[in-house]
């Protein structure tokens, strides 16, 4: 299908862009796609200044297009100098793992969508496409945004995704292909995630392997069929891609410590910038990383010159999020740049001269220990470590474990730290592991967790610096080298085979919901076939009548992302809005009672006034589930809601299928 051609075209472009960057950095990789993808995100990260100021979508389209054209110019210019070799084993591994992951993604639903992030990101991407002013729609409650949403503005990736699907949507239109932005976004970046993830596994195995090939079955066991592993289903989330980014940062940092080659450190900076583009969590992950790197490598004065540039990124993001005047937006980062650039050398010399680095690290630990007492129940309250605030429903360390909660999760965390310490025994990994231990001492110790959990939103996402696919394989490698027993190899293969045999990829055990699709499920569009049939009919009707921003009432929460050029009664979820008119609240009580979320529900709506409510709200389309019933107090019985619509409004269905009915209204 056309949707699957998009990631194929993108992967070719990013592979060549990655090869050009590798030529400039003078590095050799098995696959260059990840370097190209994350580096391109780093290039567009400064566009956050435009997105926060709500420029036109088409300005981003032009800027991104110019970057692509400019990169293509340099690629063609240096084409003869680029690495033209193809690692056949890596390529085969890439294709096999990508197909397995895509099969897994294909055979699952998006879970319970009510109030979940999938709808937020789908709406955020599709509702900004083609807008004269970005973020002009309220992605939570629908309708015009009273105050421009600033929570996701710094995550330029979502605008980039919108530009990509918009461009290919135009191509599909020329080719007379059916095209929905939401579907294109899901599959383009889900498959890109699968490709990047497979590339990471391949690259990691090539870097850390010894004579044994045990890492292949172990990686399959942990990352493909280990069904507690995070976003095999939600690869299109920025936070999913961020994990792969940080894994590559860990990989290049490892190579930097192993070779002491500055180019690997610089590549890590580029990828961290790309991570900031993917998620708001990327900002404090960048800060944590720079902190640990400085404490590890403080004797190198050149670090301060690099830091003076890198510090601008989080400052720009943080200041822009709060919408301060321009003097703060540009003045404070400029001041910090100057101070670090010209005073950093003296700071480093002072620290080096008096051996202050250990004292400073201890001071940081003591500071977080003291401050955390204000957010703890006692001296040894470690709830921030063992039960973080969002563990039940957000991205935490349990993405990388086979245990979900309780005592087993605590044991698993202790096991991870113990293995980390064990791996540090090996000389060739000691430097990298010590870097990780600095992170643990400063940010992930039991005392600092409470205070950081309080001040930093979803702080536990920073765990990805310690535990990610690269570091896990690195730890396995150390264990294998320490034990060097043949039975370990055969046991690994046996475990892999057993897990593959007992796993059912169509029924994943996931941290948020069970993702077993319903009957008659459309695996491409991630909704059942009758729902998709209604979406197509609505889109055709809107186009036929030339309606601009029609008002639609429907129970399918994905409709807004599939048809973004319309107005809906709900936004991210079925939540009652205080801004609704009385008629809209009545309509909500009539059509959405089973999905109610909020405090202002009309408990006994007047069904006999339905036509007047629809008229007052100027609703153009109503989609009714034939299975929904209403209670008639006069008859003391339940009846199908579609009969009430027919009788009260005096209309006939404009379209219907086995499950749903569409009513269309025209108001003078």
């Amino acid at each position: 299908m056309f949707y699957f051609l998009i990631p194929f075209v993108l992967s070719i472009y990013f592979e060549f862009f990655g090869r050009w960057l590798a030529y400039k950095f003078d590095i050799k990789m098995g696959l260059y796609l990840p370097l190209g993808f994350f580096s391109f995100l780093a290039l567009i990260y400064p566009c956050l200044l435009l997105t926060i100021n709500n420029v036109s979508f088409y300005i981003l389209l032009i800027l991104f297009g110019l970057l692509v054209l400019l990169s293509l110019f340099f690629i063609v210019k240096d084409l003869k100098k680029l690495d033209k070799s193809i690692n056949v084993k890596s390529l085969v591994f890439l294709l096999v793992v990508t197909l397995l992951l895509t099969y897994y993604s294909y055979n699952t639903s998006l879970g319970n969508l009510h109030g979940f992030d999938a709808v937020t990101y789908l709406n955020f991407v599709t509702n900004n496409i083609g807008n004269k002013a970005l973020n002009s729609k309220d992605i939570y409650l629908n309708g015009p945004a009273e105050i421009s949403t600033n929570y996701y503005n710094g995550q330029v990736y979502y605008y980039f995704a919108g530009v990509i699907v918009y461009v290919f949507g135009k191509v599909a239109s020329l080719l007379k292909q059916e095209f929905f932005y939401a579907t294109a976004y899901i599959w383009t970046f889900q498959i890109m995630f699968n490709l990047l993830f497979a590339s990471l596994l391949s690259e990691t195995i090539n870097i850390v392997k010894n004579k044994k090939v045990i890492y292949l079955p172990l990686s399959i066991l942990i990352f493909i069929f280990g069904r507690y592993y995070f976003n095999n289903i939600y690869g299109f989330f920025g936070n999913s891609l961020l994990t792969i980014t940080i894994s590559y940062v860990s990989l290049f940092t490892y190579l930097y410590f192993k070779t002491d080659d500055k180019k690997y450190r610089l590549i890590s900076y580029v990828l961290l910038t790309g991570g900031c583009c993917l998620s708001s969590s990327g900002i404090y992950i960048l800060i944590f990383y720079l902190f640990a790197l400085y404490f590890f490598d403080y004797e190198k004065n050149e670090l301060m010159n690099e830091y003076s540039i890198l510090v601008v990124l989080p400052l720009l993001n943080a200041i822009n999020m709060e919408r301060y005047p321009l003097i703060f937006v540009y003045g404070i980062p400029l001041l910090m740049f100057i101070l670090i650039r010209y005073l950093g050398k003296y700071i480093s010399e002072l620290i080096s001269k008096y051996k202050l680095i250990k004292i400073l690290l201890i001071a940081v630990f003591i500071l977080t220990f003291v401050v955390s007492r204000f957010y703890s129940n006692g001296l040894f309250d470690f709830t921030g470590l063992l039960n973080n605030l969002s563990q039940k429903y957000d991205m935490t360390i349990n993405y990388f474990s086979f245990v979900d909660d309780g005592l087993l999760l605590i044991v698993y965390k202790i096991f991870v730290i113990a293995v980390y310490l064990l791996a540090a025994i090996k000389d060739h990994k000691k430097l990298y592991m010590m870097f990780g231990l600095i992170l643990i001492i400063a940010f992930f110790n039991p005392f600092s967790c409470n205070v950081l959990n309080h001040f930093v939103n979803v702080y536990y996402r920073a765990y990805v610096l310690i535990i990610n696919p690269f570091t896990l394989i690195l730890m396995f490698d150390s264990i294998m080298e320490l034990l060097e027993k043949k039975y370990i190899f055969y046991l690994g293969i046996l475990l892999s085979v057993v897990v593959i045999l007992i796993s059912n990829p169509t029924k994943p055990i996931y941290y948020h919901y069970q993702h077993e699709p319903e009957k008659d499920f459309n695996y491409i569009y991630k909704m059942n076939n009758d729902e998709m049939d209604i979406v197509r009919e609505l889109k055709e009707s809107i186009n036929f009548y030339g309606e601009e921003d029609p008002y639609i009432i429907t129970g399918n929460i994905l409709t807004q992302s599939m048809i973004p050029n319309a107005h809906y009664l709900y936004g991210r979820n079925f939540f009652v809005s205080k801004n609704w008119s009385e008629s809209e609240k009545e309509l909500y009580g009539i059509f959405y009672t089973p999905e109610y979320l909020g405090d202002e529900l009309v408990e006994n709506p007047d069904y006999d006034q339905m036509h007047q409510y629809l008229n007052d709200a100027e609703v153009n389309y109503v989609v009714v589930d034939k299975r929904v019933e209403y209670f008639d107090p006069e008859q003391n019985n339940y009846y199908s809601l579609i009969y009430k619509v027919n009788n009260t409004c005096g209309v006939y269905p404009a379209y219907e299928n086995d499950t749903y009915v569409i009513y269309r209204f025209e108001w003078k």
Side-chain angles (χ1 to χ4, degrees), residues 407-443:
L407 179 61
L408 285 178
L409 183 57
I410 296 172
V411 171
Y412 176 76
K413 291 180 180 181
I414 294 172
F415 168 76
V416 164
I417 294 174
V419 173
Y420 218 82
L421 291 168
L422 180 67
I425 295 172
K426 301 301 295 181
D427 291 338
H428 73 287
K429 297 184 187 67
K430 186 174 181 180
L431 295 178
Y432 181 80
M433 293 302 174
M434 290 304 297
F435 170 77
L437 290 176
I438 290 173
L439 282 168
I440 292 173
I441 293 170
F443 301 112

Short mmCIF file of all heavy atoms in Angstrom, two decimals, residues 407-443:
data_model
loop_
_atom_site.label_atom_id
_atom_site.label_comp_id
_atom_site.label_asym_id
_atom_site.label_seq_id
_atom_site.Cartn_x
_atom_site.Cartn_y
_atom_site.Cartn_z
N LEU A 407 6.99 -5.85 44.29
CA LEU A 407 8.29 -6.28 44.79
C LEU A 407 9.21 -6.74 43.67
O LEU A 407 10.41 -6.46 43.67
CB LEU A 407 8.10 -7.41 45.81
CG LEU A 407 9.39 -7.98 46.42
CD1 LEU A 407 10.14 -6.89 47.19
CD2 LEU A 407 9.06 -9.15 47.34
N LEU A 408 8.66 -7.43 42.67
CA LEU A 408 9.50 -7.92 41.58
C LEU A 408 10.15 -6.78 40.82
O LEU A 408 11.30 -6.88 40.39
CB LEU A 408 8.65 -8.76 40.61
CG LEU A 408 8.27 -10.17 41.08
CD1 LEU A 408 7.40 -10.86 40.06
CD2 LEU A 408 9.53 -11.00 41.36
N LEU A 409 9.43 -5.67 40.66
CA LEU A 409 10.00 -4.52 39.96
C LEU A 409 11.14 -3.92 40.77
O LEU A 409 12.17 -3.51 40.21
CB LEU A 409 8.93 -3.47 39.69
CG LEU A 409 9.37 -2.24 38.89
CD1 LEU A 409 9.94 -2.65 37.55
CD2 LEU A 409 8.21 -1.28 38.69
N ILE A 410 10.99 -3.87 42.08
CA ILE A 410 12.06 -3.36 42.95
C ILE A 410 13.29 -4.26 42.82
O ILE A 410 14.42 -3.78 42.67
CB ILE A 410 11.58 -3.31 44.41
CG1 ILE A 410 10.42 -2.32 44.55
CG2 ILE A 410 12.72 -2.92 45.35
CD1 ILE A 410 9.75 -2.35 45.91
N VAL A 411 13.06 -5.57 42.88
CA VAL A 411 14.17 -6.52 42.74
C VAL A 411 14.86 -6.33 41.40
O VAL A 411 16.09 -6.37 41.30
CB VAL A 411 13.66 -7.97 42.89
CG1 VAL A 411 14.76 -8.97 42.54
CG2 VAL A 411 13.14 -8.20 44.31
N TYR A 412 14.06 -6.12 40.37
CA TYR A 412 14.63 -5.93 39.03
C TYR A 412 15.53 -4.70 38.98
O TYR A 412 16.62 -4.73 38.41
CB TYR A 412 13.52 -5.81 37.99
CG TYR A 412 14.04 -5.53 36.60
CD1 TYR A 412 14.62 -6.54 35.85
CD2 TYR A 412 13.97 -4.26 36.06
CE1 TYR A 412 15.13 -6.28 34.58
CE2 TYR A 412 14.47 -3.99 34.80
CZ TYR A 412 15.04 -5.01 34.06
OH TYR A 412 15.54 -4.76 32.82
N LYS A 413 15.08 -3.59 39.59
CA LYS A 413 15.89 -2.37 39.59
C LYS A 413 17.21 -2.60 40.31
O LYS A 413 18.27 -2.15 39.85
CB LYS A 413 15.11 -1.23 40.25
CG LYS A 413 13.92 -0.74 39.43
CD LYS A 413 13.20 0.39 40.14
CE LYS A 413 12.01 0.88 39.33
NZ LYS A 413 11.30 2.00 39.98
N ILE A 414 17.15 -3.29 41.43
CA ILE A 414 18.37 -3.59 42.18
C ILE A 414 19.29 -4.48 41.34
O ILE A 414 20.51 -4.30 41.30
CB ILE A 414 18.02 -4.28 43.52
CG1 ILE A 414 17.26 -3.28 44.42
CG2 ILE A 414 19.29 -4.77 44.22
CD1 ILE A 414 16.70 -3.91 45.68
N PHE A 415 18.68 -5.44 40.63
CA PHE A 415 19.46 -6.33 39.76
C PHE A 415 20.18 -5.54 38.67
O PHE A 415 21.36 -5.79 38.38
CB PHE A 415 18.53 -7.37 39.13
CG PHE A 415 19.16 -8.14 38.00
CD1 PHE A 415 20.07 -9.15 38.25
CD2 PHE A 415 18.85 -7.84 36.68
CE1 PHE A 415 20.65 -9.85 37.21
CE2 PHE A 415 19.43 -8.53 35.64
CZ PHE A 415 20.34 -9.55 35.90
N VAL A 416 19.49 -4.58 38.08
CA VAL A 416 20.08 -3.79 37.01
C VAL A 416 21.30 -3.03 37.51
O VAL A 416 22.36 -3.02 36.87
CB VAL A 416 19.04 -2.80 36.42
CG1 VAL A 416 19.72 -1.71 35.60
CG2 VAL A 416 18.03 -3.55 35.57
N ILE A 417 21.18 -2.40 38.68
CA ILE A 417 22.30 -1.65 39.24
C ILE A 417 23.46 -2.59 39.58
O ILE A 417 24.63 -2.27 39.36
CB ILE A 417 21.85 -0.86 40.49
CG1 ILE A 417 20.83 0.22 40.08
CG2 ILE A 417 23.03 -0.22 41.19
CD1 ILE A 417 20.21 0.96 41.24
N ALA A 418 23.12 -3.77 40.10
CA ALA A 418 24.17 -4.74 40.45
C ALA A 418 24.92 -5.20 39.21
O ALA A 418 26.16 -5.29 39.22
CB ALA A 418 23.54 -5.95 41.16
N VAL A 419 24.19 -5.46 38.15
CA VAL A 419 24.84 -5.88 36.89
C VAL A 419 25.68 -4.75 36.34
O VAL A 419 26.75 -4.96 35.78
CB VAL A 419 23.78 -6.34 35.87
CG1 VAL A 419 24.43 -6.61 34.51
CG2 VAL A 419 23.08 -7.60 36.35
N TYR A 420 25.18 -3.52 36.48
CA TYR A 420 25.94 -2.36 36.02
C TYR A 420 27.29 -2.29 36.73
O TYR A 420 28.33 -2.06 36.12
CB TYR A 420 25.12 -1.10 36.32
CG TYR A 420 25.22 -0.06 35.24
CD1 TYR A 420 24.44 -0.15 34.09
CD2 TYR A 420 26.08 1.02 35.35
CE1 TYR A 420 24.51 0.80 33.09
CE2 TYR A 420 26.16 1.97 34.36
CZ TYR A 420 25.37 1.86 33.23
OH TYR A 420 25.46 2.80 32.25
N LEU A 421 27.27 -2.50 38.04
CA LEU A 421 28.52 -2.51 38.81
C LEU A 421 29.42 -3.67 38.39
O LEU A 421 30.63 -3.52 38.28
CB LEU A 421 28.19 -2.60 40.30
CG LEU A 421 27.53 -1.36 40.92
CD1 LEU A 421 27.01 -1.69 42.31
CD2 LEU A 421 28.53 -0.22 40.99
N LEU A 422 28.79 -4.81 38.15
CA LEU A 422 29.53 -5.99 37.73
C LEU A 422 30.23 -5.74 36.39
O LEU A 422 31.40 -6.09 36.20
CB LEU A 422 28.59 -7.20 37.61
CG LEU A 422 29.21 -8.53 37.17
CD1 LEU A 422 30.16 -9.04 38.24
CD2 LEU A 422 28.11 -9.54 36.90
N ALA A 423 29.50 -5.12 35.47
CA ALA A 423 30.06 -4.86 34.14
C ALA A 423 31.24 -3.91 34.22
O ALA A 423 32.15 -3.95 33.38
CB ALA A 423 28.98 -4.30 33.23
N ALA A 424 31.24 -3.03 35.21
CA ALA A 424 32.32 -2.04 35.35
C ALA A 424 33.65 -2.70 35.69
O ALA A 424 34.71 -2.07 35.56
CB ALA A 424 31.96 -1.02 36.42
N ILE A 425 33.62 -3.96 36.12
CA ILE A 425 34.85 -4.66 36.46
C ILE A 425 35.73 -4.85 35.22
O ILE A 425 36.94 -4.81 35.29
CB ILE A 425 34.52 -6.03 37.10
CG1 ILE A 425 33.80 -5.82 38.44
CG2 ILE A 425 35.78 -6.86 37.29
CD1 ILE A 425 33.27 -7.10 39.04
N LYS A 426 35.05 -5.05 34.09
CA LYS A 426 35.79 -5.28 32.85
C LYS A 426 36.43 -3.98 32.39
O LYS A 426 35.79 -2.96 32.25
CB LYS A 426 34.87 -5.82 31.75
CG LYS A 426 34.19 -7.13 32.11
CD LYS A 426 35.17 -8.24 32.42
CE LYS A 426 35.98 -8.63 31.21
NZ LYS A 426 36.94 -9.71 31.48
N ASP A 427 37.74 -4.03 32.16
CA ASP A 427 38.50 -2.82 31.87
C ASP A 427 37.98 -2.04 30.66
O ASP A 427 37.88 -0.83 30.69
CB ASP A 427 39.97 -3.17 31.64
CG ASP A 427 40.66 -3.62 32.92
OD1 ASP A 427 40.13 -3.26 34.00
OD2 ASP A 427 41.67 -4.32 32.85
N HIS A 428 37.65 -2.74 29.56
CA HIS A 428 37.30 -2.01 28.34
C HIS A 428 35.93 -1.35 28.43
O HIS A 428 35.57 -0.55 27.58
CB HIS A 428 37.37 -2.93 27.12
CG HIS A 428 36.25 -3.92 27.02
ND1 HIS A 428 36.15 -5.01 27.83
CD2 HIS A 428 35.18 -3.97 26.19
CE1 HIS A 428 35.07 -5.70 27.51
NE2 HIS A 428 34.47 -5.09 26.51
N LYS A 429 35.17 -1.68 29.48
CA LYS A 429 33.88 -1.01 29.66
C LYS A 429 33.85 -0.14 30.91
O LYS A 429 32.87 0.53 31.19
CB LYS A 429 32.76 -2.05 29.76
CG LYS A 429 32.59 -2.89 28.51
CD LYS A 429 31.39 -3.80 28.66
CE LYS A 429 31.31 -4.76 27.49
NZ LYS A 429 32.41 -5.72 27.49
N LYS A 430 34.93 -0.18 31.64
CA LYS A 430 34.94 0.50 32.94
C LYS A 430 34.65 1.98 32.81
O LYS A 430 33.88 2.54 33.60
CB LYS A 430 36.30 0.30 33.62
CG LYS A 430 36.35 0.84 35.03
CD LYS A 430 37.66 0.49 35.70
CE LYS A 430 37.70 1.01 37.13
NZ LYS A 430 38.98 0.69 37.79
N LEU A 431 35.24 2.64 31.81
CA LEU A 431 35.03 4.07 31.65
C LEU A 431 33.57 4.40 31.42
O LEU A 431 33.02 5.30 32.05
CB LEU A 431 35.88 4.59 30.48
CG LEU A 431 37.40 4.50 30.66
CD1 LEU A 431 38.10 5.02 29.41
CD2 LEU A 431 37.84 5.30 31.87
N TYR A 432 32.95 3.65 30.52
CA TYR A 432 31.55 3.94 30.23
C TYR A 432 30.66 3.66 31.45
O TYR A 432 29.75 4.41 31.76
CB TYR A 432 31.06 3.12 29.04
CG TYR A 432 29.61 3.42 28.72
CD1 TYR A 432 29.28 4.56 27.99
CD2 TYR A 432 28.58 2.61 29.19
CE1 TYR A 432 27.97 4.86 27.74
CE2 TYR A 432 27.27 2.91 28.93
CZ TYR A 432 26.96 4.05 28.20
OH TYR A 432 25.66 4.35 27.97
N MET A 433 30.93 2.58 32.14
CA MET A 433 30.12 2.23 33.30
C MET A 433 30.30 3.25 34.42
O MET A 433 29.36 3.57 35.15
CB MET A 433 30.46 0.82 33.78
CG MET A 433 30.07 -0.26 32.79
SD MET A 433 28.29 -0.23 32.42
CE MET A 433 28.20 -1.47 31.14
N MET A 434 31.51 3.78 34.57
CA MET A 434 31.73 4.80 35.59
C MET A 434 30.94 6.07 35.26
O MET A 434 30.43 6.75 36.14
CB MET A 434 33.22 5.12 35.71
CG MET A 434 34.04 3.99 36.31
SD MET A 434 33.44 3.47 37.95
CE MET A 434 33.72 4.98 38.88
N PHE A 435 30.84 6.35 33.98
CA PHE A 435 30.00 7.47 33.53
C PHE A 435 28.56 7.24 33.99
O PHE A 435 27.88 8.16 34.49
CB PHE A 435 30.08 7.57 32.01
CG PHE A 435 29.09 8.51 31.39
CD1 PHE A 435 29.28 9.88 31.44
CD2 PHE A 435 27.97 8.03 30.73
CE1 PHE A 435 28.38 10.75 30.86
CE2 PHE A 435 27.06 8.88 30.15
CZ PHE A 435 27.27 10.25 30.22
N GLY A 436 28.09 6.02 33.84
CA GLY A 436 26.74 5.68 34.29
C GLY A 436 26.59 5.78 35.79
O GLY A 436 25.55 6.21 36.29
N LEU A 437 27.62 5.40 36.52
CA LEU A 437 27.55 5.47 37.98
C LEU A 437 27.47 6.91 38.47
O LEU A 437 26.82 7.21 39.48
CB LEU A 437 28.76 4.77 38.60
CG LEU A 437 28.78 3.24 38.46
CD1 LEU A 437 30.07 2.67 39.01
CD2 LEU A 437 27.58 2.64 39.17
N ILE A 438 28.11 7.83 37.76
CA ILE A 438 27.99 9.25 38.11
C ILE A 438 26.53 9.69 37.96
O ILE A 438 26.00 10.42 38.81
CB ILE A 438 28.92 10.11 37.22
CG1 ILE A 438 30.37 9.84 37.58
CG2 ILE A 438 28.61 11.60 37.38
CD1 ILE A 438 31.37 10.51 36.66
N LEU A 439 25.88 9.24 36.89
CA LEU A 439 24.47 9.55 36.71
C LEU A 439 23.63 9.00 37.86
O LEU A 439 22.71 9.67 38.36
CB LEU A 439 23.97 8.96 35.38
CG LEU A 439 24.34 9.72 34.11
CD1 LEU A 439 24.04 8.87 32.88
CD2 LEU A 439 23.59 11.04 34.03
N ILE A 440 23.94 7.77 38.28
CA ILE A 440 23.19 7.15 39.37
C ILE A 440 23.38 7.94 40.67
O ILE A 440 22.43 8.24 41.39
CB ILE A 440 23.62 5.68 39.56
CG1 ILE A 440 23.18 4.86 38.35
CG2 ILE A 440 23.04 5.11 40.85
CD1 ILE A 440 23.70 3.43 38.35
N ILE A 441 24.63 8.31 40.96
CA ILE A 441 24.92 9.06 42.19
C ILE A 441 24.23 10.42 42.20
O ILE A 441 23.65 10.84 43.20
CB ILE A 441 26.45 9.24 42.36
CG1 ILE A 441 27.11 7.88 42.61
CG2 ILE A 441 26.76 10.20 43.50
CD1 ILE A 441 28.63 7.92 42.55
N ALA A 442 24.24 11.10 41.05
CA ALA A 442 23.72 12.47 41.00
C ALA A 442 22.21 12.52 40.84
O ALA A 442 21.56 13.39 41.42
CB ALA A 442 24.39 13.23 39.86
N PHE A 443 21.63 11.60 40.06
CA PHE A 443 20.23 11.76 39.68
C PHE A 443 19.32 10.58 40.00
O PHE A 443 18.11 10.74 40.07
CB PHE A 443 20.14 12.03 38.16
CG PHE A 443 20.89 13.25 37.73
CD1 PHE A 443 22.02 13.13 36.95
CD2 PHE A 443 20.48 14.51 38.12
CE1 PHE A 443 22.73 14.25 36.54
CE2 PHE A 443 21.17 15.64 37.72
CZ PHE A 443 22.30 15.51 36.93
#
